[in-house]
Amino acid sequence: MGFFSSIKKLWNKDDDAPQQEASLSQDAAATPSLEDDALTLRLREAEPRLSIWLGIILEDVDKAGDLLWERLAFLLHSLGTAEEESARFIDDFKGWLERMEYVHVDEFRSELQYRLALALELEDEEDERSRLFLKLSQSLTRTREQFSRQINALFSGHTELDDQFWEELEELFIMADLGYEPALQLVERLKERALQKGITSPKDVRDLLREEIEEIFRTPRRITTVNPPEVVLMIGVNGVGKTTTIAKLAHRARMQGKKVLIAAADTFRAAAVEQLKVWADRVGADFHAKTTGADPAAVAFEAVEMAVNGNYDILFVDTAGRLQTKVNLMDELTKIRQVLGKKHPGAPHRSLLVIDATTGQNALSQTKLFKEAAGIDELILTKLDGTAKGGVAIAVAMQYALPISYVGLGEKLEDLRPFNGDDFARILLGEKEEMEDLTA
Ligand SMILES: Nc1nc2c(ncn2[C@@H]2O[C@H](COP(=O)(O)OP(=O)(O)OP(=O)(O)O)[C@@H](O)[C@H]2O)c(=O)[nH]1
Ligand SMILES: [Mg+2]
Protein backbone atom coordinates (compact mmCIF):
# COMPACT_ATOMS: atom_id res chain seq x y z
CA MET A 1 0.00 0.00 0.00
CA GLY A 2 1.38 3.37 -1.02
CA PHE A 3 1.94 6.19 1.36
CA PHE A 4 -1.00 8.26 0.25
CA SER A 5 -3.57 5.53 0.69
CA SER A 6 -2.45 4.86 4.23
CA ILE A 7 -2.72 8.54 5.08
CA LYS A 8 -6.07 8.68 3.42
CA LYS A 9 -7.23 6.00 5.78
CA LEU A 10 -6.69 8.33 8.69
CA TRP A 11 -9.43 10.64 7.66
CA ASN A 12 -11.42 8.76 5.07
CA LYS A 13 -13.06 5.56 6.23
CA ASP A 14 -13.79 4.59 2.66
CA ASP A 15 -10.79 2.35 2.03
CA ASP A 16 -12.03 1.11 -1.28
CA ALA A 17 -12.53 4.49 -2.88
CA PRO A 18 -10.96 4.49 -6.33
CA GLN A 19 -7.62 6.24 -6.22
CA GLN A 20 -8.00 8.66 -9.04
CA GLU A 21 -5.72 11.59 -9.26
CA ALA A 22 -8.52 14.17 -9.32
CA SER A 23 -10.25 12.85 -6.25
CA LEU A 24 -6.98 12.63 -4.40
CA SER A 25 -6.11 16.22 -5.03
CA GLN A 26 -9.63 17.30 -4.08
CA ASP A 27 -9.36 15.35 -0.87
CA ALA A 28 -6.01 16.85 -0.23
CA ALA A 29 -7.39 20.31 -0.78
CA ALA A 30 -10.23 19.63 1.62
CA THR A 31 -7.97 18.45 4.43
CA PRO A 32 -4.55 19.84 3.65
CA SER A 33 -3.11 19.92 7.11
CA LEU A 34 -3.47 16.25 7.94
CA GLU A 35 -1.86 15.12 4.74
CA ASP A 36 0.80 17.81 4.96
CA ASP A 37 1.66 16.89 8.53
CA ALA A 38 2.01 13.25 7.66
CA LEU A 39 4.12 14.07 4.64
CA THR A 40 6.30 16.38 6.70
CA LEU A 41 6.83 13.62 9.22
CA ARG A 42 7.71 11.13 6.52
CA LEU A 43 10.22 13.52 5.00
CA ARG A 44 11.76 14.39 8.34
CA GLU A 45 12.15 10.77 9.35
CA ALA A 46 13.62 9.71 6.03
CA GLU A 47 17.29 9.45 5.33
CA PRO A 48 18.27 12.98 4.22
CA ARG A 49 18.86 12.31 0.57
CA LEU A 50 17.28 13.92 -2.42
CA SER A 51 16.45 10.60 -4.09
CA ILE A 52 14.67 9.39 -0.96
CA TRP A 53 12.71 12.63 -0.57
CA LEU A 54 11.75 12.50 -4.20
CA GLY A 55 10.71 8.87 -3.78
CA ILE A 56 8.40 9.86 -0.93
CA ILE A 57 6.69 12.70 -2.72
CA LEU A 58 6.33 10.69 -5.92
CA GLU A 59 5.10 7.52 -4.28
CA ASP A 60 1.57 7.73 -5.60
CA VAL A 61 2.19 10.08 -8.49
CA ASP A 62 2.52 8.44 -11.85
CA LYS A 63 2.20 11.35 -14.22
CA ALA A 64 2.47 15.09 -14.56
CA GLY A 65 -0.51 16.98 -13.16
CA ASP A 66 -1.81 18.95 -10.22
CA LEU A 67 -0.82 16.34 -7.69
CA LEU A 68 2.77 16.45 -8.91
CA TRP A 69 2.91 20.25 -8.78
CA GLU A 70 1.48 20.24 -5.26
CA ARG A 71 4.00 17.68 -4.11
CA LEU A 72 6.90 19.48 -5.67
CA ALA A 73 5.85 22.77 -4.11
CA PHE A 74 5.58 20.93 -0.82
CA LEU A 75 9.05 19.46 -1.07
CA LEU A 76 10.62 22.75 -2.11
CA HIS A 77 8.82 24.54 0.71
CA SER A 78 10.01 21.89 3.18
CA LEU A 79 13.56 22.54 2.04
CA GLY A 80 13.20 26.23 2.70
CA THR A 81 12.86 27.41 -0.90
CA ALA A 82 11.18 30.80 -1.28
CA GLU A 83 7.66 30.71 -2.69
CA GLU A 84 8.39 32.55 -5.91
CA GLU A 85 11.52 30.53 -6.59
CA SER A 86 9.62 27.35 -6.13
CA ALA A 87 6.83 28.60 -8.44
CA ARG A 88 9.42 29.51 -11.04
CA PHE A 89 11.05 26.11 -10.79
CA ILE A 90 7.73 24.35 -11.23
CA ASP A 91 6.60 26.57 -14.13
CA ASP A 92 9.87 26.03 -15.83
CA PHE A 93 9.64 22.29 -15.44
CA LYS A 94 6.01 22.25 -16.62
CA GLY A 95 6.98 24.14 -19.77
CA TRP A 96 9.83 21.76 -20.39
CA LEU A 97 7.62 18.68 -20.00
CA GLU A 98 5.17 20.13 -22.50
CA ARG A 99 7.86 20.87 -25.02
CA MET A 100 9.34 17.42 -24.61
CA GLU A 101 5.85 15.86 -24.59
CA TYR A 102 6.63 13.87 -21.48
CA VAL A 103 3.74 12.71 -19.32
CA HIS A 104 4.72 9.76 -17.17
CA VAL A 105 7.01 10.02 -14.17
CA ASP A 106 9.21 7.28 -15.62
CA GLU A 107 9.99 9.55 -18.54
CA PHE A 108 11.11 12.52 -16.50
CA ARG A 109 11.98 11.40 -12.99
CA SER A 110 15.69 11.37 -13.57
CA GLU A 111 15.62 14.82 -15.16
CA LEU A 112 13.53 16.11 -12.26
CA GLN A 113 16.07 14.85 -9.74
CA TYR A 114 18.85 16.39 -11.78
CA ARG A 115 17.08 19.76 -11.87
CA LEU A 116 16.36 19.66 -8.16
CA ALA A 117 19.96 18.77 -7.38
CA LEU A 118 21.17 21.73 -9.40
CA ALA A 119 18.55 24.16 -8.12
CA LEU A 120 19.11 23.15 -4.51
CA GLU A 121 22.87 22.97 -4.95
CA LEU A 122 22.92 19.35 -3.96
CA GLU A 123 25.00 18.02 -6.82
CA ASP A 124 28.00 17.49 -4.58
CA GLU A 125 26.02 15.56 -2.02
CA GLU A 126 26.71 11.90 -1.49
CA ASP A 127 23.44 10.92 -3.11
CA GLU A 128 23.99 12.71 -6.38
CA ARG A 129 27.62 11.71 -6.36
CA SER A 130 26.74 8.03 -6.16
CA ARG A 131 24.10 8.45 -8.85
CA LEU A 132 26.72 10.06 -11.01
CA PHE A 133 29.24 7.34 -10.20
CA LEU A 134 26.76 4.69 -11.21
CA LYS A 135 25.89 6.48 -14.42
CA LEU A 136 29.57 6.92 -15.29
CA SER A 137 30.18 3.32 -14.45
CA GLN A 138 27.35 2.14 -16.69
CA SER A 139 28.58 4.36 -19.49
CA LEU A 140 32.06 2.95 -19.15
CA THR A 141 30.98 -0.68 -19.22
CA ARG A 142 32.52 -1.40 -22.60
CA THR A 143 35.68 0.54 -21.87
CA ARG A 144 36.00 -1.29 -18.60
CA GLU A 145 35.49 -4.64 -20.26
CA GLN A 146 38.26 -3.80 -22.66
CA PHE A 147 40.57 -2.56 -19.95
CA SER A 148 39.79 -4.33 -16.72
CA ARG A 149 39.42 -7.84 -17.97
CA GLN A 150 42.72 -7.79 -19.78
CA ILE A 151 44.45 -6.16 -16.88
CA ASN A 152 43.12 -8.79 -14.52
CA ALA A 153 44.35 -11.51 -16.85
CA LEU A 154 47.73 -9.86 -17.10
CA PHE A 155 48.10 -9.41 -13.36
CA SER A 156 47.15 -12.97 -12.59
CA GLY A 157 49.23 -14.39 -15.43
CA HIS A 158 52.51 -13.03 -14.10
CA THR A 159 54.34 -13.61 -10.88
CA GLU A 160 57.00 -10.95 -11.13
CA LEU A 161 57.55 -7.51 -12.56
CA ASP A 162 59.86 -8.52 -15.37
CA ASP A 163 60.36 -7.00 -18.79
CA GLN A 164 57.75 -9.23 -20.30
CA PHE A 165 55.15 -8.00 -17.82
CA TRP A 166 55.86 -4.36 -18.60
CA GLU A 167 55.83 -5.01 -22.34
CA GLU A 168 52.47 -6.70 -22.16
CA LEU A 169 51.12 -3.89 -20.05
CA GLU A 170 52.31 -1.37 -22.59
CA GLU A 171 50.65 -3.30 -25.39
CA LEU A 172 47.45 -3.45 -23.41
CA PHE A 173 47.47 0.33 -22.94
CA ILE A 174 47.95 0.84 -26.65
CA MET A 175 45.04 -1.48 -27.40
CA ALA A 176 42.91 0.46 -24.93
CA ASP A 177 43.30 3.58 -27.05
CA LEU A 178 45.85 5.29 -24.91
CA GLY A 179 48.07 5.85 -27.90
CA TYR A 180 51.68 4.87 -28.34
CA GLU A 181 53.43 7.79 -26.61
CA PRO A 182 51.14 7.98 -23.59
CA ALA A 183 51.27 4.18 -23.19
CA LEU A 184 55.05 4.28 -23.09
CA GLN A 185 55.05 7.16 -20.64
CA LEU A 186 52.54 5.52 -18.37
CA VAL A 187 54.57 2.32 -18.16
CA GLU A 188 57.69 4.33 -17.33
CA ARG A 189 55.85 6.16 -14.58
CA LEU A 190 54.54 2.90 -13.16
CA LYS A 191 57.98 1.30 -13.19
CA GLU A 192 59.34 4.24 -11.27
CA ARG A 193 56.50 4.20 -8.79
CA ALA A 194 56.89 0.45 -8.23
CA LEU A 195 60.60 0.92 -7.59
CA GLN A 196 59.99 3.77 -5.15
CA LYS A 197 57.42 1.82 -3.22
CA GLY A 198 59.34 -1.45 -3.34
CA ILE A 199 56.53 -3.26 -5.08
CA THR A 200 57.44 -6.56 -6.67
CA SER A 201 54.16 -8.33 -7.24
CA PRO A 202 52.06 -7.73 -10.38
CA LYS A 203 48.82 -7.69 -8.47
CA ASP A 204 49.98 -4.66 -6.48
CA VAL A 205 50.45 -2.74 -9.71
CA ARG A 206 46.69 -2.32 -9.87
CA ASP A 207 46.77 0.16 -6.98
CA LEU A 208 49.73 1.96 -8.50
CA LEU A 209 47.94 2.28 -11.79
CA ARG A 210 44.86 3.66 -10.12
CA GLU A 211 46.93 6.23 -8.25
CA GLU A 212 48.72 7.14 -11.44
CA ILE A 213 45.46 7.65 -13.35
CA GLU A 214 44.04 9.75 -10.52
CA GLU A 215 47.13 11.89 -10.68
CA ILE A 216 46.92 12.32 -14.44
CA PHE A 217 43.45 13.80 -14.05
CA ARG A 218 44.44 16.10 -11.22
CA THR A 219 44.82 19.68 -12.44
CA PRO A 220 45.97 22.77 -10.61
CA ARG A 221 43.36 25.02 -9.10
CA ARG A 222 42.36 27.97 -11.23
CA ILE A 223 40.52 31.22 -10.74
CA THR A 224 37.01 30.38 -11.79
CA THR A 225 35.29 33.69 -11.11
CA VAL A 226 34.91 36.01 -14.08
CA ASN A 227 33.77 39.52 -14.83
CA PRO A 228 30.20 38.85 -15.96
CA PRO A 229 28.91 37.95 -18.44
CA GLU A 230 31.02 34.83 -18.62
CA VAL A 231 31.77 34.03 -22.25
CA VAL A 232 32.19 30.40 -23.24
CA LEU A 233 33.47 29.49 -26.68
CA MET A 234 32.66 26.02 -27.96
CA ILE A 235 35.12 24.54 -30.43
CA GLY A 236 35.75 21.17 -32.05
CA VAL A 237 35.54 19.37 -35.37
CA ASN A 238 32.19 18.56 -36.93
CA GLY A 239 29.87 16.06 -35.34
CA VAL A 240 31.61 15.74 -31.99
CA GLY A 241 28.66 17.18 -30.08
CA LYS A 242 29.35 20.93 -29.73
CA THR A 243 25.78 22.06 -30.26
CA THR A 244 24.16 19.47 -28.02
CA THR A 245 26.80 20.11 -25.37
CA ILE A 246 25.99 23.82 -25.44
CA ALA A 247 22.35 22.89 -24.89
CA LYS A 248 23.32 20.70 -21.95
CA LEU A 249 25.58 23.34 -20.40
CA ALA A 250 22.96 26.03 -20.95
CA HIS A 251 20.45 23.77 -19.27
CA ARG A 252 22.72 23.37 -16.24
CA ALA A 253 23.23 27.13 -16.06
CA ARG A 254 19.49 27.77 -16.32
CA MET A 255 18.84 25.30 -13.52
CA GLN A 256 21.33 27.19 -11.40
CA GLY A 257 19.20 30.27 -11.96
CA LYS A 258 21.45 31.98 -14.51
CA LYS A 259 20.38 34.25 -17.35
CA VAL A 260 21.72 32.55 -20.45
CA LEU A 261 22.36 33.70 -24.00
CA ILE A 262 23.34 31.35 -26.82
CA ALA A 263 24.87 32.62 -30.06
CA ALA A 264 25.01 30.74 -33.35
CA ALA A 265 28.41 31.58 -34.75
CA ASP A 266 28.16 28.41 -36.80
CA THR A 267 26.74 30.12 -39.86
CA PHE A 268 28.11 27.52 -42.23
CA ARG A 269 24.92 25.43 -42.45
CA ALA A 270 21.31 26.63 -42.21
CA ALA A 271 20.35 23.55 -40.22
CA ALA A 272 22.96 24.37 -37.59
CA VAL A 273 21.28 27.66 -36.68
CA GLU A 274 17.87 26.02 -36.59
CA GLN A 275 19.10 23.14 -34.39
CA LEU A 276 20.61 25.55 -31.89
CA LYS A 277 17.46 27.67 -31.81
CA VAL A 278 15.36 24.61 -30.97
CA TRP A 279 17.72 23.77 -28.10
CA ALA A 280 17.74 27.35 -26.80
CA ASP A 281 13.93 27.30 -26.68
CA ARG A 282 13.89 23.94 -24.94
CA VAL A 283 16.22 25.00 -22.16
CA GLY A 284 14.78 28.50 -21.81
CA ALA A 285 17.82 30.44 -23.00
CA ASP A 286 17.82 33.52 -25.22
CA PHE A 287 19.23 33.20 -28.67
CA HIS A 288 21.14 35.31 -31.15
CA ALA A 289 21.78 34.44 -34.78
CA LYS A 290 22.10 35.96 -38.22
CA THR A 291 21.47 34.43 -41.59
CA THR A 292 23.42 31.49 -43.02
CA GLY A 293 26.71 32.60 -44.46
CA ALA A 294 26.92 35.68 -42.21
CA ASP A 295 30.30 36.51 -40.72
CA PRO A 296 30.64 34.37 -37.55
CA ALA A 297 32.76 37.07 -35.91
CA ALA A 298 29.93 39.56 -36.45
CA VAL A 299 27.49 37.19 -34.75
CA ALA A 300 29.91 36.80 -31.84
CA PHE A 301 30.39 40.56 -31.57
CA GLU A 302 26.67 41.33 -31.51
CA ALA A 303 26.03 38.52 -29.05
CA VAL A 304 28.63 39.69 -26.56
CA GLU A 305 27.27 43.22 -26.82
CA MET A 306 23.81 41.89 -26.15
CA ALA A 307 25.09 39.84 -23.21
CA VAL A 308 26.84 42.83 -21.64
CA ASN A 309 23.95 45.24 -22.13
CA GLY A 310 21.31 42.73 -21.16
CA ASN A 311 22.99 41.71 -17.89
CA TYR A 312 23.37 38.10 -18.85
CA ASP A 313 25.30 35.77 -16.57
CA ILE A 314 26.68 33.61 -19.32
CA LEU A 315 27.03 33.56 -23.10
CA PHE A 316 27.70 30.39 -25.07
CA VAL A 317 29.10 30.79 -28.56
CA ASP A 318 28.64 27.82 -30.90
CA THR A 319 31.09 27.53 -33.78
CA ALA A 320 31.30 25.57 -37.00
CA GLY A 321 33.23 22.32 -37.00
CA ARG A 322 33.83 22.23 -40.69
CA LEU A 323 35.20 24.81 -43.07
CA GLN A 324 36.92 24.35 -46.41
CA THR A 325 40.33 24.03 -44.76
CA LYS A 326 41.83 23.73 -41.32
CA VAL A 327 43.49 27.08 -41.87
CA ASN A 328 40.10 28.69 -42.52
CA LEU A 329 38.66 27.14 -39.41
CA MET A 330 41.52 28.30 -37.20
CA ASP A 331 41.52 31.79 -38.73
CA GLU A 332 37.84 32.08 -38.05
CA LEU A 333 38.28 31.02 -34.43
CA THR A 334 41.06 33.55 -33.97
CA LYS A 335 38.83 36.28 -35.35
CA ILE A 336 35.95 35.28 -33.08
CA ARG A 337 38.24 35.31 -30.05
CA GLN A 338 39.53 38.74 -30.97
CA VAL A 339 36.13 40.40 -31.31
CA LEU A 340 34.90 38.81 -28.10
CA GLY A 341 37.90 40.10 -26.18
CA LYS A 342 37.65 43.52 -27.73
CA LYS A 343 34.08 44.00 -26.61
CA HIS A 344 34.44 42.37 -23.21
CA PRO A 345 37.79 42.11 -21.39
CA GLY A 346 38.84 38.57 -20.63
CA ALA A 347 36.41 37.03 -23.12
CA PRO A 348 36.28 34.25 -24.07
CA HIS A 349 36.79 33.28 -20.45
CA ARG A 350 36.69 29.62 -21.34
CA SER A 351 37.40 27.89 -24.63
CA LEU A 352 35.98 24.42 -24.46
CA LEU A 353 37.20 21.82 -26.89
CA VAL A 354 34.67 19.10 -27.48
CA ILE A 355 36.10 15.72 -28.43
CA ASP A 356 34.24 12.54 -29.25
CA ALA A 357 35.39 9.49 -27.27
CA THR A 358 34.29 7.09 -29.98
CA THR A 359 36.95 8.46 -32.32
CA GLY A 360 39.72 7.21 -30.04
CA GLN A 361 43.10 8.36 -31.30
CA ASN A 362 41.59 11.10 -33.46
CA ALA A 363 40.64 12.93 -30.30
CA LEU A 364 44.35 13.26 -29.57
CA SER A 365 45.28 14.83 -32.89
CA GLN A 366 42.30 17.19 -32.70
CA THR A 367 43.37 18.36 -29.27
CA LYS A 368 46.86 19.02 -30.58
CA LEU A 369 45.57 20.98 -33.55
CA PHE A 370 43.17 23.19 -31.61
CA LYS A 371 45.57 23.70 -28.72
CA GLU A 372 48.26 25.03 -31.02
CA ALA A 373 46.00 27.08 -33.24
CA ALA A 374 43.22 28.39 -31.03
CA GLY A 375 43.99 27.74 -27.38
CA ILE A 376 41.97 25.46 -25.11
CA ASP A 377 41.06 25.88 -21.45
CA GLU A 378 39.05 22.75 -20.88
CA LEU A 379 38.07 19.55 -22.59
CA ILE A 380 34.68 17.98 -22.83
CA LEU A 381 34.64 14.33 -23.79
CA THR A 382 31.34 13.30 -25.36
CA LYS A 383 29.79 9.94 -26.27
CA LEU A 384 31.57 8.10 -23.51
CA ASP A 385 28.42 6.02 -23.24
CA GLY A 386 28.71 2.77 -25.09
CA THR A 387 32.23 3.17 -26.45
CA ALA A 388 35.11 0.84 -25.66
CA LYS A 389 37.53 3.68 -26.35
CA GLY A 390 37.06 5.61 -23.11
CA GLY A 391 40.75 5.08 -22.37
CA VAL A 392 41.38 8.07 -24.60
CA ALA A 393 40.42 10.27 -21.63
CA ILE A 394 43.65 9.19 -19.94
CA ALA A 395 45.65 9.81 -23.09
CA VAL A 396 44.45 13.39 -23.70
CA ALA A 397 44.72 14.42 -20.09
CA MET A 398 48.23 13.01 -19.93
CA GLN A 399 49.49 14.29 -23.25
CA TYR A 400 48.13 17.82 -23.06
CA ALA A 401 47.72 18.46 -19.32
CA LEU A 402 44.27 19.88 -19.87
CA PRO A 403 41.39 19.46 -17.44
CA ILE A 404 38.40 17.42 -18.57
CA SER A 405 35.54 19.40 -17.13
CA TYR A 406 32.54 17.43 -18.33
CA VAL A 407 31.73 14.14 -19.95
CA GLY A 408 28.81 13.33 -22.22
CA LEU A 409 27.10 10.14 -21.16
CA GLY A 410 24.12 10.16 -23.52
CA GLU A 411 21.90 12.30 -25.67
CA LYS A 412 19.57 13.66 -22.99
CA LEU A 413 19.99 17.06 -21.37
CA GLU A 414 20.86 15.53 -18.03
CA ASP A 415 23.55 13.37 -19.62
CA LEU A 416 26.35 15.87 -19.34
CA ARG A 417 28.05 15.63 -15.99
CA PRO A 418 31.10 17.06 -14.27
CA PHE A 419 34.05 14.75 -14.77
CA ASN A 420 35.65 13.21 -11.73
CA GLY A 421 39.03 11.62 -12.38
CA ASP A 422 39.07 9.62 -9.15
CA ASP A 423 35.74 8.05 -10.06
CA PHE A 424 37.00 7.30 -13.53
CA ALA A 425 40.09 5.57 -12.14
CA ARG A 426 38.07 3.67 -9.58
CA ILE A 427 35.62 2.50 -12.20
CA LEU A 428 38.32 1.31 -14.56
CA LEU A 429 40.36 -0.36 -11.86
CA GLY A 430 38.05 -0.65 -8.92
CA GLU A 431 38.45 -3.32 -6.33
CA LYS A 432 36.90 -6.59 -7.30
CA GLU A 433 34.15 -6.43 -4.65
CA GLU A 434 33.25 -2.92 -5.66
CA MET A 435 32.85 -4.01 -9.26
CA GLU A 436 30.66 -6.92 -8.25
CA ASP A 437 28.45 -4.58 -6.24
CA LEU A 438 28.03 -2.33 -9.22
CA THR A 439 27.15 -5.03 -11.64
CA ALA A 440 24.86 -6.88 -9.22
N1 LIG B 1 25.38 8.95 -27.21
C1 LIG B 1 25.74 10.22 -27.19
N2 LIG B 1 25.46 11.02 -28.24
C2 LIG B 1 25.85 12.31 -28.19
C3 LIG B 1 26.54 12.85 -27.07
N3 LIG B 1 26.81 14.15 -27.34
C4 LIG B 1 26.30 14.41 -28.56
N4 LIG B 1 25.72 13.30 -29.09
C5 LIG B 1 25.09 13.15 -30.42
O1 LIG B 1 26.05 13.44 -31.44
C6 LIG B 1 25.41 13.98 -32.59
C7 LIG B 1 26.13 15.24 -33.08
O2 LIG B 1 25.97 16.26 -32.13
P1 LIG B 1 26.02 17.83 -32.47
O3 LIG B 1 25.84 18.53 -31.18
O4 LIG B 1 25.12 18.18 -33.57
O5 LIG B 1 27.53 17.95 -32.96
P2 LIG B 1 28.28 19.26 -33.47
O6 LIG B 1 29.66 19.16 -32.99
O7 LIG B 1 27.52 20.47 -33.13
O8 LIG B 1 28.24 19.01 -35.05
P3 LIG B 1 28.48 20.09 -36.22
O9 LIG B 1 27.63 21.27 -35.92
O10 LIG B 1 28.06 19.35 -37.45
O11 LIG B 1 29.93 20.41 -36.22
C8 LIG B 1 23.98 14.24 -32.18
O12 LIG B 1 23.17 13.21 -32.68
C9 LIG B 1 24.01 14.18 -30.66
O13 LIG B 1 22.79 13.76 -30.09
C10 LIG B 1 26.83 11.96 -25.96
O14 LIG B 1 27.44 12.31 -24.95
N5 LIG B 1 26.40 10.67 -26.08
MG1 LIG C 1 26.80 22.05 -34.30
Side-chain angles (χ1 to χ4, degrees), residues 242-243 266 269 275 318:
K242 292 180 297 298
T243 303
D266 176 0
R269 294 176 300 125
Q275 180 199 8
D318 195 13

Coordinates of all heavy atoms in Angstrom, one line a residue, residues 242-243 266 269 275 318, ligand 2:
K242 N 29.2 19.6 -30.2 CA 29.3 20.9 -29.7 C 28.0 21.5 -29.4 O 27.7 22.1 -28.4 CB 30.0 21.8 -30.8 CG 31.5 21.6 -31.0 CD 32.1 22.5 -32.0 CE 31.4 22.4 -33.4 NZ 31.6 21.1 -34.0
T243 N 27.1 21.4 -30.4 CA 25.8 22.1 -30.3 C 25.0 21.4 -29.1 O 24.4 22.1 -28.3 CB 25.0 22.0 -31.6 OG1 25.8 22.6 -32.6 CG2 23.7 22.7 -31.5
D266 N 28.0 29.4 -35.7 CA 28.2 28.4 -36.8 C 27.2 28.8 -37.9 O 26.0 28.5 -37.8 CB 27.8 27.0 -36.3 CG 27.9 26.0 -37.4 OD1 28.2 26.4 -38.6 OD2 27.6 24.8 -37.1
R269 N 26.1 26.2 -42.0 CA 24.9 25.4 -42.4 C 23.7 26.0 -41.9 O 23.6 26.4 -40.7 CB 25.0 24.0 -42.0 CG 26.2 23.2 -42.5 CD 26.2 21.8 -41.9 NE 26.3 21.8 -40.4 CZ 25.5 21.3 -39.5 NH1 24.5 20.6 -39.9 NH2 25.7 21.4 -38.3
Q275 N 18.9 24.1 -35.5 CA 19.1 23.1 -34.4 C 19.4 23.8 -33.1 O 18.8 23.5 -32.0 CB 20.3 22.2 -34.8 CG 20.6 21.1 -33.8 CD 22.0 20.5 -33.9 OE1 22.8 21.0 -34.7 NE2 22.3 19.5 -33.2
D318 N 28.5 29.1 -30.1 CA 28.6 27.8 -30.9 C 29.4 28.1 -32.2 O 29.2 29.2 -32.8 CB 27.3 27.2 -31.3 CG 27.4 25.8 -31.7 OD1 28.4 25.2 -31.6 OD2 26.4 25.3 -32.3
Ligands
MG2 MG 26.8 22.0 -34.3

